[in-house]
Amino acid sequence: MMVPAALLLLGALTAVVAPRLLALADWPDREPVVALWVWQCVVAAVLVCCALSMTLSAAAAWVAVRGHVFAGAPHPVVEAYALSTGGSWASTTAVTLAGGGVWSAAMLVREIARARARRRQRRAELLVRAPLLPGEEPGADRLVVLEGERPDAWWLPGAAPQLVITTAALRRLKGRQLDAVLAHEQGHAQARHDWLLHCSGALAGGFPQVPVFAAFRDEMHRLVELAADDMASRRFGRLTIALALVELNEDRGVFGPCPTPQAHVPQRVHRLLTPPDRLTAARRLQLTAAAALVPVIPVLVAFVPGLRALG
């Protein structure tokens, strides 16, 4: 009955070591898309460890579950897992991990419900500030201009996604800067970054004492912006999107000495003004493949006793 414990230990080790290695690496800011993939694989590996440990613990605690898990398996395979030696801690482990899974699902549902409520509220406010003209259909225009003295622009997702921009932002954005802002926000929508933010927010909100989930949420918020910056810069240039960021955020004090909620904006501008230093295509492929193997490791650990018995 060592496999469930080994899986929990592997999950804890991954949760501790992987974020530290990513924090020490210098390539995530250079390759945010790859970094997003690596972070997802790390968190997936932690969750897979918990799910497999829960399954094997439940199989050790209850014969009915064991019959479903090992249905059709030869007797030597079942004996290799030593399920009869689990004791009372097997049921405790299974129930605890199952509760964690249910809680994670509930937090994800709550996160999505809150996001949809915020979206409905924003659309209602948008209709008040920019009412439809006679004969105009809702969501017909992808670009909505609002009267406002504060330069701002944001993407409103949904069945009919729209880019909302204030008149102050239009006065500030020059040349192709408006197109760059639109490309940035479309990059978020095309890559479905909202789902990454929902999942990371649900895990961090459901388990605030787990550092890896908090780091996952913070890095998702940061990396999705870098990835969208890169998508926009490929079409309109790095200088264009950097100037657009400056124009939209200059009056918010983000470039001053005092920290603000948008403290990452100066870092994004500095990154865009620095000559790109991307990894080679081979190196990106290596990192992507290595990250994809991380969630496979707990699966291999779970199957080792059975494979040895068959061998």
Side-chain angles (χ1 to χ4, degrees):
M1 196 53 199
M2 293 296 295
V3 179
L7 288 169
L8 288 179
L9 182 60
L10 178 61
L13 186 64
T14 305
V16 172
V17 175
R20 294 184 179 181
L21 292 177
L22 287 171
L24 293 174
D26 62 345
W27 59 264
D29 286 358
R30 296 155 59 190
E31 299 292 346
V33 175
V34 178
L36 285 170
W37 170 251
V38 173
W39 267 104
Q40 292 175 72
C41 291
V42 167
V43 173
V46 175
L47 297 179
V48 169
C49 286
C50 295
L52 291 175
S53 180
M54 176 197 70
T55 303
L56 293 177
S57 297
W62 300 290
V63 178
V65 177
R66 188 184 312 170
H68 289 288
V69 173
F70 292 93
H75 183 70
V77 172
V78 181
E79 290 295 325
Y81 285 90
L83 299 176
S84 58
T85 63
S88 60
W89 73 271
S91 58
T92 304
T93 303
V95 170
T96 301
L97 293 175
V102 172
W103 181 249
S104 300
M107 291 298 101
L108 180 58
V109 171
R110 187 188 70 170
E111 191 75 20
I112 295 174
R114 287 181 174 179
R116 288 182 176 177
R118 290 192 299 267
R119 191 184 309 162
R120 286 194 298 267
Q121 182 180 0
R122 278 196 162 188
R123 289 195 179 275
E125 294 174 352
L126 185 62
L127 287 176
V128 173
R129 297 180 62 183
L132 297 176
L133 298 176
E136 185 179 4
E137 297 181 0
D141 297 323
R142 301 194 68 181
L143 179 64
V144 180
V145 180
L146 294 181
E147 287 286 345
E149 298 180 357
R150 182 177 182 178
D152 201 1
W154 66 90
W155 185 260
L156 196 60
Q162 295 173 309
L163 175 67
V164 184
I165 190 167
T166 62
T167 52
L170 285 179
R171 288 192 295 267
R172 281 180 170 269
L173 297 176
K174 304 174 183 64
R176 305 177 72 190
Q177 293 175 7
L178 177 59
D179 294 330
V181 172
L182 178 60
H184 173 96
E185 298 299 337
Q186 286 178 336
H188 285 310
Q190 292 173 2
R192 301 308 303 267
H193 287 160
D194 54 333
W195 278 103
L196 282 178
L197 300 180
H198 291 334
C199 294
S200 61
L203 289 172
F207 304 94
Q209 298 86 4
V210 182
V212 66
F213 294 150
F216 180 49
R217 175 195 56 197
D218 296 341
E219 284 298 291
M220 289 302 98
H221 280 274
R222 189 178 69 89
L223 291 172
V224 296
E225 296 298 335
L226 300 185
D229 287 344
D230 287 348
M231 295 180 70
S233 66
R234 292 190 192 102
R235 294 177 57 187
F236 302 100
R238 298 170 71 88
L239 179 60
T240 303
I241 189 65
L243 292 175
L245 285 173
V246 172
E247 294 294 345
L248 289 175
N249 295 278
E250 189 175 11
D251 293 341
R252 301 182 183 182
V254 299
F255 298 101
C258 300
T260 65
Q262 292 85 20
H264 63 280
V265 174
Q267 300 172 2
R268 291 167 58 192
V269 173
H270 181 269
R271 174 179 176 271
L272 289 167
L273 295 178
T274 304
D277 184 21
R278 299 196 63 187
L279 301 177
T280 63
R283 180 59 176 162
R284 294 197 300 270
L285 181 60
Q286 289 175 358
L287 288 172
T288 303
L293 292 177
V294 175
V296 179
I297 295 176
V299 178
L300 295 177
V301 171
F303 277 93
V304 162
L307 293 175
R308 284 183 176 177
L310 291 175

